[in-house]
Amino acid sequence: QSALTQPASVSGSPGQSITISCTGINSDVGGHNSVSWYQQHPDKAPKVVISDVNNRPSGVSNRFSGSQSGNTASLTISGLQAEDEAHYFCSSLTATDTVVFGGGTKLTVL
Amino acid sequence: QVQLVQSGPEVKKAGASVRVSCKASGFTLDNQHINWVRQAPGRGLEWMGWISTYEGNTNYAQNLQARVILTTDTSTKTAYMELRSLTFDDTAVYFCARGWKHFDPWGQGTRVTVSS
């Protein structure tokens, strides 16, 4: 199972919005409404910020939103803040009930 | 407080096995999926497998299924990951995480170092 494709890095200034893409295939991203997004700060465990494509877990800022079109899912962070600087990973269920992650995207807040 | 607490760091010789534990706090392991995910230094997340405490089923990543065993002890609310025949490429931080389609919470991570 190949990793989902994410850009290696994105950047934005405080207050701006950024979008991170996550591209898979029909048997993972395109076949299940199960894309999740995780935020990971250095030397910390990942934390879920979006589940099931566009569901925001309790306690997650409403500046985080998710969407999907076909085999590509997207995470949008609006009103960028310094604390948003982190690595972001997407994941999806697959046709064989396994899980595949994206390679990760480093977000830099300028 | 719902959390997963993992065992401490391990240093192992190449060829040996390692077992990492993951204890649930604030919830039971009944009817749960517990996943294991690893992260090599400076690298991304790699899903290793899950175990369902409901039926005892497991599902492993194809590249690891010959070497990894996931188990749980619901009486002590503890999940275990054993990885055999360690190589240098197994040096990583290993995380447990609850869930099926999305993972929450995560354990704090256990660093496993494979040396010669």
Side-chain angles (χ1 to χ4, degrees):
Chain A
Q1 183 74 42
S2 298
L4 306 177
T5 301
Q6 298 181 232
S9 63
V10 299
S11 62
S13 299
Q16 288 185 332
S17 295
I18 62 95
T19 296
I20 301 171
S21 62
C22 170
T23 300
I25 57 178
N26 289 343
S27 61
D28 45 54
V29 172
H32 309 267
N33 288 325
S34 66
V35 171
S36 296
W37 290 91
Y38 300 90
Q39 175 191 64
Q40 186 181 33
H41 288 109
D43 297 321
K44 298 293 186 182
K47 168 194 169 186
V48 62
V49 293
I50 293 290
S51 65
D52 299 326
V53 178
N54 56 13
N55 182 59
R56 195 170 49 248
S58 174
V60 175
S61 171
N62 59 9
R63 298 183 298 103
F64 291 83
S65 62
S67 63
Q68 181 174 330
S69 177
N71 293 337
T72 298
S74 298
L75 171 71
T76 297
I77 308 173
S78 59
L80 269 180
Q81 299 179 359
E83 67 205 49
D84 299 331
E85 185 163 295
H87 279 87
Y88 291 84
F89 296 90
C90 62
S91 74
S92 174
L93 277 179
T94 75
T96 54
D97 215 16
T98 60
V99 174
V100 61
F101 282 99
T105 299
K106 179 175 172 55
L107 168 61
T108 301
V109 180
L110 302 171
Chain B
Q1 184 182 3
V2 172
Q3 61 180 350
L4 293 167
V5 180
Q6 299 183 219
S7 49
E10 301 268 8
V11 179
K12 295 291 183 181
K13 297 285 191 184
S17 297
V18 67
R19 191 171 84 150
V20 178
S21 68
C22 167
K23 186 174 177 62
S25 176
F27 67 100
T28 70
L29 284 189
D30 299 332
N31 301 324
Q32 302 284 356
H33 277 74
I34 299 294
N35 294 262
W36 290 86
V37 177
R38 69 179 181 177
Q39 187 170 34
R43 306 294 296 273
L45 302 175
E46 179 187 12
W47 179 80
M48 301 177 66
W50 57 250
I51 181 166
S52 166
T53 62
Y54 175 64
E55 297 174 326
N57 294 342
T58 54
N59 198 358
Y60 298 119
Q62 191 168 14
N63 64 323
L64 291 170
Q65 63 183 4
R67 298 194 295 127
V68 66
I69 300 174
L70 303 184
T71 56
T72 58
D73 182 340
T74 53
S75 67
T76 61
K77 301 197 298 182
T78 303
Y80 299 93
M81 184 283 298
E82 180 178 4
L83 187 61
R84 301 172 291 185
S85 301
L86 292 169
T87 72
F88 300 132
D89 289 343
D90 294 316
T91 293
V93 176
Y94 289 75
F95 296 98
C96 60
R98 181 184 67 171
W100 178 47
K101 290 194 291 182
H102 71 274
F103 303 158
D104 181 50
W106 292 62
Q108 83 276 19
T110 297
R111 186 173 302 276
V112 175
T113 303
V114 181
S115 67
S116 55

